[in-house]
Amino acid sequence: VSKGERTRERIIEQATAVFNAKGYAGASMSDIMAATGLNKGGIYNHFESKDALALASFDYAVEVLMSRVDSLVDAEATAPGKLLALLRVFAWNIKEPPFEGGCPLLNTAIEADDAHPELRDRVRVALAGLQKRVRAIVRDGVASGELRPAADADAAATVFVATLEGAVMLSNLYKDRKHMARAIDHLREFVETSLRAIE
Amino acid sequence: VSKGERTRERIIEQATAVFNAKGYAGASMSDIMAATGLNKGGIYNHFESKDALALASFDYAVEVLMSRVDSLVDAEATAPGKLLALLRVFAWNIKEPPFEGGCPLLNTAIEADDAHPELRDRVRVALAGLQKRVRAIVRDGVASGELRPAADADAAATVFVATLEGAVMLSNLYKDRKHMARAIDHLREFVETSLRAIE
Amino acid sequence: VSKGERTRERIIEQATAVFNAKGYAGASMSDIMAATGLNKGGIYNHFESKDALALASFDYAVEVLMSRVDSLVDAEATAPGKLLALLRVFAWNIKEPPFEGGCPLLNTAIEADDAHPELRDRVRVALAGLQKRVRAIVRDGVASGELRPAADADAAATVFVATLEGAVMLSNLYKDRKHMARAIDHLREFVETSLRAIE
Amino acid sequence: VSKGERTRERIIEQATAVFNAKGYAGASMSDIMAATGLNKGGIYNHFESKDALALASFDYAVEVLMSRVDSLVDAEATAPGKLLALLRVFAWNIKEPPFEGGCPLLNTAIEADDAHPELRDRVRVALAGLQKRVRAIVRDGVASGELRPAADADAAATVFVATLEGAVMLSNLYKDRKHMARAIDHLREFVETSLRAIE
DNA sequence: ACCGACGGGACCGCCCGTTGTT
DNA sequence: AACAACGGGCGGTCCCGTCGGT
């Protein structure tokens, strides 16, 4: 791995933190210069524009987030276990956030929606990936008989993502994890009483 | 009402639309000049800074939002009726949004969280108001026997707001109302099976 | 005439001098700020971009140049007289240049040719106007019998403009009016021996 | 010839094209990197600054230009023949330009006049060389009796260069060779009727 | 001999807010 | 009450040139 390669990675890591805390528009290249300790020339050697850096940073954030999902969800064998694992990921993210300033998916979805088409498309893909994950778990669970046949995979995907992202917003706004805890309790109850197959 | 008073109102209304679509940092005074048809001096006569206008605009947005809540919720007599009415408010907001660019509460919560303390405090108050509303309905419902005694008013408040705001984000991101529809279906089911008193 | 109007004129006058001396690309907005004594905001209030100012400046330069042509050429009654008057205009421009840095038409033609289509189109129009002027004089002179019937108006237009602009370049390069003087002598001879009707 | 030597030549050749098309100020080292396929270090190994490269490029352009002059003029034996050969060089340059973007002598004379003293001095030398050439031909022609004794060598030098360079400007500006054709016709006529000795 | 990372600075354009003028 | 001129400053981008490495 060359020196430039490592610098590029370092820039992305630092920039992701800055972008997530201040927003893409709110973060200036000067902020990123300060965070990386590099000068203008040093950054523009690796990224041809602020936008290019923003996209790379978002991709990196998604990668980090999904690796957390993978590590906990893949460790579980059953469908209900995987769903509960996903809830623990969000609890983890609140307790030990990978990035300051809240969930990059939510933040970017809000900011990019009307302002930044390219970024918006990437959030769509990323959030669709998260929903697809839930959907697949539910479908597999239905097929294996762990979840009841009537379980609606699409609906579950929306409900999980919406509730959890909404709870991220509330917990960060009030700096109080109780909102996430309540959302998780609710979804756990939802899994147990509405999705899990009746023995 | 004086002429100046009416101008001030007009500025706020137009500015609210601009701020909600572009964000507080992303919207420039030029944007607001263009939206209002006024010149700099005309605006700064009524607001001493961009920030002051932002605060007034946010307050106005909350007012509009809450009046929708009032109009539908107050028309219902029972606790379950009021909860379902709240769901209809969010369906309404998706179908006929009072402002372009999504829910001002959510947008502002995301943008102001780390960047704008004054605004963040107001979002806290506004979202607390919304939760308090749910909480009061649930408590009244429990007291009146319409809802089961075990219904957790605090948890319900968080779950309602989190799920609905999360669904606003998804529906706006994908320009597809189905996410809101699913969230509403879920919450309706939640009301019927977990909150409503068993006869 | 409002104050802003007068400021705008002043900016154009000063900017024309700067642009003509340093070229459009070579002149910075800072140079123009220094020349006008105004700040960025003050200039961008009157011109939406450096380009817009460049175009206005070029138009102004052409105006000044053509007014010199008008004042001397229109004072003459005969075709040969008008042609010789045009030569005196170029002598005047060398002796008392309206702008530092040479002929704006020549400078702009060279710089804009490959780099600035909008400006190039304006130079084309301006230089075509100058040639048209010569052409009209020659045609009128032929019609009136002052010039010989074989006089080629188109060729004369090209020869006059090419020779004089080339002489401007040489005189400015060597800071020596003799090149212009020689070009003028040559063209005067050309008028007398090749164009003027034989009595 | 070493490898470095050949690289140096290649850089100069490519840079000359870039400088002539974009101007010395308008051309960036990035442009030259792109044109040469070399990287910064590769170029700065051979030239200590952009300026040094600009000077070398100008010298190279002059060399190419003068070799065209030599090849056609030296092939002629008589003074009038040499003068007409010079006209054919300019026709050739318009039809098959050695460099994109017009005559390097004219371009550089215009751009460097007020902005780049070192370069300006070199243009002076180069254009003085061209005029000296004409002057020598005329003087030799007078001495040999091919041209009439009254022929003014200095004036002829100025007139030739001014008219031809002016015509280069017009032909390039309008992308139309007719201006050069007219200038050449005029100068040919000038040679025949004003310079050539009367038999 | 050549590459590539990087510093430091200048560019144009836009920003917000003030001030004088209608 | 509203307009319009203007100051001062920061935004992202690109520049030239240096220097460590290959």
Side-chain angles (χ1 to χ4, degrees):
Chain A
V1 191
S2 71
K3 184 188 174 198
E5 204 65 31
R6 277 184 288 113
T7 303
R8 190 190 144 92
E9 298 299 328
R10 215 189 60 215
I11 294 173
I12 290 180
E13 287 168 30
Q14 310 282 11
T16 303
V18 174
F19 280 136
N20 202 57
K22 301 200 170 194
Y24 294 99
S28 72
M29 289 305 288
S30 300
D31 293 330
I32 290 165
M33 285 165 58
T36 57
L38 284 167
N39 209 302
K40 290 254 164 92
I43 294 174
Y44 273 85
N45 221 36
H46 296 282
F47 301 93
E48 65 174 8
S49 68
K50 182 187 174 186
D51 245 50
L53 176 55
L55 293 175
S57 290
F58 177 75
D59 289 344
Y60 171 73
V62 172
E63 205 178 304
V64 170
L65 250 28
M66 294 315 281
S67 83
R68 285 198 170 193
V69 171
D70 289 342
S71 70
L72 264 65
V73 171
D74 291 349
E76 296 291 327
T78 68
K82 285 175 189 290
L83 291 175
L84 301 184
L86 183 61
L87 302 184
R88 288 198 300 277
V89 172
F90 276 81
W92 181 16
N93 285 346
I94 291 294
K95 202 174 175 198
E96 297 168 20
F99 312 104
E100 292 287 310
C103 176
L105 294 175
L106 178 58
N107 296 351
T108 309
I110 296 302
E111 180 175 3
D113 192 10
D114 303 291
H116 200 308
E118 217 167 352
L119 214 38
R120 187 197 55 198
D121 290 345
R122 302 215 180 191
V123 200
R124 283 181 176 170
V125 170
L127 277 172
L130 196 57
Q131 291 181 266
K132 200 175 298 180
R133 189 92 189 214
V134 175
R135 213 156 48 221
I137 296 172
V138 172
R139 281 184 184 151
D140 290 349
V142 169
S144 71
E146 293 164 326
L147 303 184
R148 65 186 67 169
D152 184 337
D154 290 324
T158 288
V159 167
F160 262 72
V161 172
T163 307
L164 290 168
E165 289 294 351
V168 166
M169 181 269 287
L170 289 177
S171 276
N172 281 316
L173 179 63
Y174 294 105
K175 313 287 176 217
D176 191 337
R177 297 182 209 154
K178 76 180 174 202
H179 296 97
M180 179 54 75
R182 289 172 183 164
I184 288 175
D185 285 345
H186 170 76
L187 290 175
R188 192 185 303 123
E189 191 71 9
F190 171 60
V191 169
E192 299 302 339
T193 66
S194 299
L195 299 182
R196 191 189 284 272
I198 308 157
E199 356 172 350
Chain B
V1 192
S2 70
K3 185 191 171 200
E5 203 65 30
R6 276 187 290 113
T7 302
R8 189 190 145 91
E9 297 299 327
R10 217 190 57 214
I11 295 172
I12 290 179
E13 287 169 29
Q14 311 282 9
T16 304
V18 173
F19 280 135
N20 202 57
K22 301 200 169 193
Y24 294 98
S28 72
M29 289 305 289
S30 299
D31 293 329
I32 290 162
M33 286 164 59
T36 57
L38 280 153
N39 211 297
K40 260 218 182 122
I43 295 172
Y44 274 88
N45 253 16
H46 295 283
F47 303 92
E48 66 170 7
S49 69
K50 182 188 172 186
D51 247 51
L53 175 55
L55 293 175
S57 290
F58 177 74
D59 289 345
Y60 171 74
V62 172
E63 205 178 301
V64 170
L65 251 29
M66 294 315 281
S67 82
R68 284 200 171 192
V69 171
D70 288 343
S71 71
L72 264 64
V73 171
D74 290 350
E76 297 292 328
T78 69
K82 286 176 188 290
L83 290 175
L84 301 184
L86 184 60
L87 303 183
R88 288 198 301 276
V89 172
F90 276 81
W92 181 16
N93 284 347
I94 291 292
K95 202 174 176 200
E96 297 169 19
F99 312 103
E100 293 287 309
C103 176
L105 294 174
L106 178 58
N107 295 351
T108 309
I110 297 301
E111 179 175 3
D113 193 9
D114 304 288
H116 201 308
E118 219 167 349
L119 214 38
R120 187 196 55 197
D121 290 345
R122 302 216 182 190
V123 200
R124 284 180 177 171
V125 170
L127 277 172
L130 196 57
Q131 292 180 266
K132 200 175 298 180
R133 189 93 188 213
V134 176
R135 213 156 48 222
I137 296 172
V138 172
R139 280 184 185 152
D140 289 349
V142 169
S144 71
E146 292 163 327
L147 302 184
R148 64 186 68 167
D152 184 337
D154 289 323
T158 287
V159 167
F160 261 72
V161 172
T163 307
L164 291 168
E165 290 294 352
V168 166
M169 180 270 286
L170 289 176
S171 276
N172 281 319
L173 178 62
Y174 294 104
K175 314 288 177 215
D176 190 337
R177 294 181 210 155
K178 77 180 173 201
H179 295 97
M180 179 54 77
R182 289 172 183 164
I184 288 175
D185 285 345
H186 171 77
L187 290 174
R188 193 185 302 121
E189 192 71 8
F190 172 60
V191 169
E192 299 301 340
T193 67
S194 299
L195 299 182
R196 192 188 284 272
I198 308 156
E199 356 172 349
Chain C
V1 191
S2 71
K3 185 191 173 196
E5 204 67 31
R6 277 184 288 113
T7 302
R8 190 189 144 93
E9 298 299 328
R10 214 190 60 214
I11 294 172
I12 290 179
E13 288 169 28
Q14 311 281 10
T16 303
V18 174
F19 280 136
N20 202 58
K22 301 200 169 194
Y24 293 98
S28 72
M29 289 305 290
S30 299
D31 293 329
I32 290 165
M33 285 165 58
T36 57
L38 283 167
N39 209 300
K40 284 254 166 91
I43 295 174
Y44 273 85
N45 220 35
H46 296 283
F47 301 93
E48 67 172 7
S49 68
K50 183 187 173 185
D51 245 51
L53 176 55
L55 292 175
S57 290
F58 177 74
D59 289 345
Y60 172 72
V62 171
E63 204 178 303
V64 169
L65 251 28
M66 294 315 282
S67 83
R68 284 200 170 190
V69 171
D70 289 343
S71 71
L72 263 65
V73 170
D74 290 349
E76 297 292 327
T78 68
K82 285 175 189 290
L83 289 175
L84 300 184
L86 183 61
L87 302 183
R88 288 198 302 276
V89 171
F90 276 80
W92 181 15
N93 285 345
I94 290 293
K95 202 175 176 198
E96 298 168 21
F99 312 104
E100 292 288 310
C103 176
L105 294 175
L106 178 58
N107 295 351
T108 308
I110 296 302
E111 181 176 1
D113 193 9
D114 303 292
H116 201 308
E118 216 167 352
L119 213 39
R120 186 197 55 198
D121 290 345
R122 301 217 181 189
V123 199
R124 284 180 176 171
V125 170
L127 276 172
L130 196 58
Q131 291 180 267
K132 200 175 299 180
R133 188 91 189 214
V134 175
R135 213 154 50 221
I137 296 172
V138 172
R139 280 184 185 151
D140 289 351
V142 170
S144 72
E146 292 164 326
L147 302 184
R148 65 186 66 169
D152 183 337
D154 289 323
T158 286
V159 167
F160 261 73
V161 172
T163 306
L164 290 168
E165 289 295 350
V168 166
M169 182 269 287
L170 289 177
S171 276
N172 281 317
L173 179 63
Y174 294 103
K175 313 290 175 213
D176 190 337
R177 296 182 211 157
K178 77 180 173 204
H179 296 97
M180 179 54 77
R182 289 171 184 165
I184 288 176
D185 285 345
H186 171 77
L187 290 175
R188 191 185 302 120
E189 192 71 10
F190 171 60
V191 169
E192 298 301 340
T193 64
S194 300
L195 299 183
R196 191 188 284 273
I198 307 155
E199 358 174 348
Chain D
V1 191
S2 70
K3 184 190 170 202
E5 202 65 29
R6 276 186 291 114
T7 302
R8 189 189 144 92
E9 296 300 327
R10 217 188 58 215
I11 295 172
I12 291 178
E13 287 169 29
Q14 310 282 8
T16 304
V18 173
F19 280 136
N20 201 58
K22 301 199 169 195
Y24 293 98
S28 73
M29 289 306 288
S30 299
D31 293 329
I32 290 163
M33 286 164 57
T36 57
L38 279 144
N39 210 298
K40 252 198 192 143
I43 295 173
Y44 275 88
N45 251 18
H46 295 282
F47 302 93
E48 66 171 8
S49 69
K50 183 187 171 185
D51 246 51
L53 176 55
L55 293 175
S57 289
F58 177 74
D59 289 345
Y60 171 73
V62 172
E63 204 178 303
V64 170
L65 251 28
M66 293 316 280
S67 82
R68 284 199 171 192
V69 171
D70 288 343
S71 71
L72 264 65
V73 170
D74 290 351
E76 297 290 327
T78 68
K82 287 176 187 290
L83 290 176
L84 301 184
L86 183 60
L87 303 184
R88 288 198 301 276
V89 172
F90 276 80
W92 181 16
N93 285 346
I94 290 293
K95 204 175 175 199
E96 298 168 19
F99 312 103
E100 292 288 309
C103 175
L105 294 174
L106 178 57
N107 295 351
T108 309
I110 296 302
E111 180 176 1
D113 193 9
D114 303 290
H116 201 307
E118 218 168 350
L119 213 38
R120 186 197 56 200
D121 290 345
R122 301 218 180 187
V123 199
R124 284 181 176 169
V125 170
L127 276 172
L130 194 58
Q131 291 179 270
K132 199 174 301 179
R133 188 94 189 215
V134 175
R135 212 156 48 223
I137 296 172
V138 172
R139 281 189 183 145
D140 289 350
V142 169
S144 71
E146 292 164 325
L147 302 184
R148 65 186 68 169
D152 183 335
D154 289 324
T158 287
V159 166
F160 261 71
V161 172
T163 306
L164 291 169
E165 289 294 351
V168 166
M169 180 270 287
L170 289 177
S171 276
N172 281 318
L173 178 63
Y174 294 104
K175 312 289 177 214
D176 191 338
R177 296 183 208 154
K178 77 180 175 203
H179 296 97
M180 179 54 76
R182 289 171 183 164
I184 287 175
D185 284 346
H186 171 77
L187 290 175
R188 191 184 305 121
E189 190 72 11
F190 172 59
V191 169
E192 299 301 339
T193 65
S194 299
L195 299 183
R196 192 189 282 273
I198 308 158
E199 359 174 346

